[in-house]
Amino acid sequence: MKKSIDFIRNGFLYGGDYNPDQWLDRPDVLKEDLRLMKKSGVNVVSLGIFAWSALEPEEGVFRFEWLDRVFDDLNRSGIRVFLATPSGARPGWMAAKYPEVLRVGSDGKRNLFGIRHNHCFSSPVYREKTAEINGKLAERYASHPAVILWHISNEYSGGCHCELCQENFRNWLKNRYGDLDSLNKAWWNAFWSHTVTDWNHIHSPVPHGEPMLHGLNLDWKRFVTDMTVDFMEAEIAAVHTVRPDLPVTTNLMAGVENSEHDPGLDYWKFRDKFDFASWDSYPGWHLPGYQAFSLDIPESPVDDYRRASEVAFQHDLFRSLTGGPFLLMESTPSAVNWRPLSKPKKPGLNILSGLQAVAHGANSVQYFQWRKSRGGFEKYHGAVVGHDGTENTRIFREAAELGSLLDKMRPIADTDYPARTALVYNWENRWVFEDSRGALNGPRKAYLETVRKHYFCLWDSGVPMDIISGEEDLSGYDLVVAPMLHMVGKTCEKRIREFVEAGGLFFTTYQSGYVDESDLCFEGAVPGPLRDILGITCEELDVLNPREQAEILPSVEMESFFPNGTGIATDFCEVVQVQSARSLARFRGSLADGAPALTVNDFGKGSAWYLAGRLDADSLKGLYRHLIKRAGTASVHDRLAARDETVSVQVRSSGDKKYLFLMNFAPKEAVVRTVKSYMDFLNPGEPKSEWILPGWGVAILE
């Protein structure tokens, strides 16, 4: 049952990861931390995330006195606490005495002690030890006046291939399929003579075993997600023994920036387990080029604006997990330390990036970490307080300025982020599509990049949107967009059908409706169960080499929305046959020459649109202008007369209260003109309709 989270609507939470266990021999440092926190506007810290070895230095020997002092000092200073469970990194004595707690890799070797999340979620010992330390923390601190929520673990990720996990995987499969005949059919095991005749013959996908059975790969990823969720639920149960009313969250990783930081988990399975979502944001500001738009957008002076759209996509995704305010749990006020090139944020960008999170529905801005570590892997990772230990730095001054602004913005915390448009991003769909082997393989398949490209068109048009899995009730939306919806399960198909029949506008693209939830190809033509909704069938798929293109010739009805008169298709071109749909554009060139490239089908009270080729960026933006107008969905740009291309505009509202955020994601000055005159919320004065934003500048219009 979800707990009350009204406390995060009373004002913005501002702070970060605090690790006093690194400074227990320096009481002067801990005292100075409190003074600097108050000076910078910090009102909350995440405490104890990696403190297990300080809390339990030997098995069964607990040391809480130091944490008692920290709690009391924070409370006297008016600073609240997100109390963390320390399961993200176990102490060395545990690994030495109970090696079963350590993970086994896909190579079959058990890991040595080290790093984070190097533990087996199946291990009874690890579960027992985690429940014990969590329970003791709950007994001692859950009712402490400083504690406002539980911060469960840290960046859950990865899986284990030990024998305990193999047995749990087999049991998971038994629960899912019931018998081997059903499993063999779902995995299509007759192919390559892979028919399973004994549950004990099943093993996780590994390089030296079976890495190419798509049904196995998909179910293994599902199992790892379910085991992680089960472990998290066990952690939550342990901390709720004392105060079951205390809300919980866990900090999720992006996983949608690049594969390096993909946790390998389906976060949609987490959404009902915590009270609100939190995530850790570390975009690569100021870096040349941008992979999310490498399909057809060249490098340009607005790279950081495009990067801002990727960050916005992630904010919208994590806000949408629980449908309300979310917490920005980690960010950096300066630079990270783990990129090949880790550039610090330029003056003003830390404030801008913090307020961008707020503009997309965050009710906190927090950092990793408060004070820089003197040693270890992240000793050069940005922090509010550097190795000099003073307030006399640009980074500290900007952090303090942001703290002051958030304090002024208290009324905005009680508003929401309104969205009548939804974009489908589905982890299982991504896994299935990336794992499949077809006409085009490798990075050019680009599911994630394509989703973000479509997001950019809506975001750049000022359309607030939710990011959804595709299995939710869609009745609250005017427009639903599902690029490359390769896998269509029964629930997803039902939701889309109901949405369009009721009057919604649905838009999808090539590579949609190919497989079911078991990754089995649909019998009959693509797009599978969406054929009658879309009014088309796809006869054949052509893929283009990197230097090959096909033209897209719009009908008279669509000409005005193609800024260059025609569009360009790359990578994918499907040979579509219209059934009940109308053709609005056709291909010239490629195997699809003369075939429809864009179709619309009236279905029930609504319409379903299909794009049969990967469209160039300018034409796709033009197409979205038409879809937005056709769907009648809201755009905050309706309030604008003009804006420079580096300005993002977002809105938070509740009833009659509306706040328009103007954010300039470029070092140069930008101008925005509004249709009406507004007050500047942060700098009250006479209403005006022209807003000159400095580089990395922000204005909030009331």
Side-chain angles (χ1 to χ4, degrees), residues 496-505 532-535 580 601-608 630:
I496 293 169
R497 184 175 299 276
E498 292 171 344
F499 171 72
V500 181
E501 284 180 334
L505 192 157
D532 64 323
I533 302 172
L534 292 163
S580 56
N601 188 49
D602 295 327
F603 187 81
K605 297 178 181 178
S607 61
R630 176 81 175 257

Side-chain angles (χ1 to χ4, degrees), residues 29 35 115 149 180 183 210 220 311 322 369 388 404 418 422 452 487 511 525 539 555 612 635 644 687:
V29 168
R35 185 186 74 83
I115 62 174
L149 68 88
L180 285 173
L183 178 142
E210 178 51 82
W220 174 253
V311 182
T322 48
Q369 56 183 322
D388 65 338
S404 176
R452 292 191 299 199
M487 181 176 72
Q511 285 290 329
E539 178 184 348
S555 64
S635 168
D644 283 347

Side-chain angles (χ1 to χ4, degrees), residues 443-464:
R444 285 177 63 209
K445 292 170 78 169
Y447 169 69
L448 173 58
E449 288 80 359
T450 300
V451 171
R452 292 191 299 199
K453 181 180 173 185
H454 285 253
Y455 176 91
F456 177 79
C457 293
L458 290 161
W459 179 82
D460 185 59
S461 298
V463 175

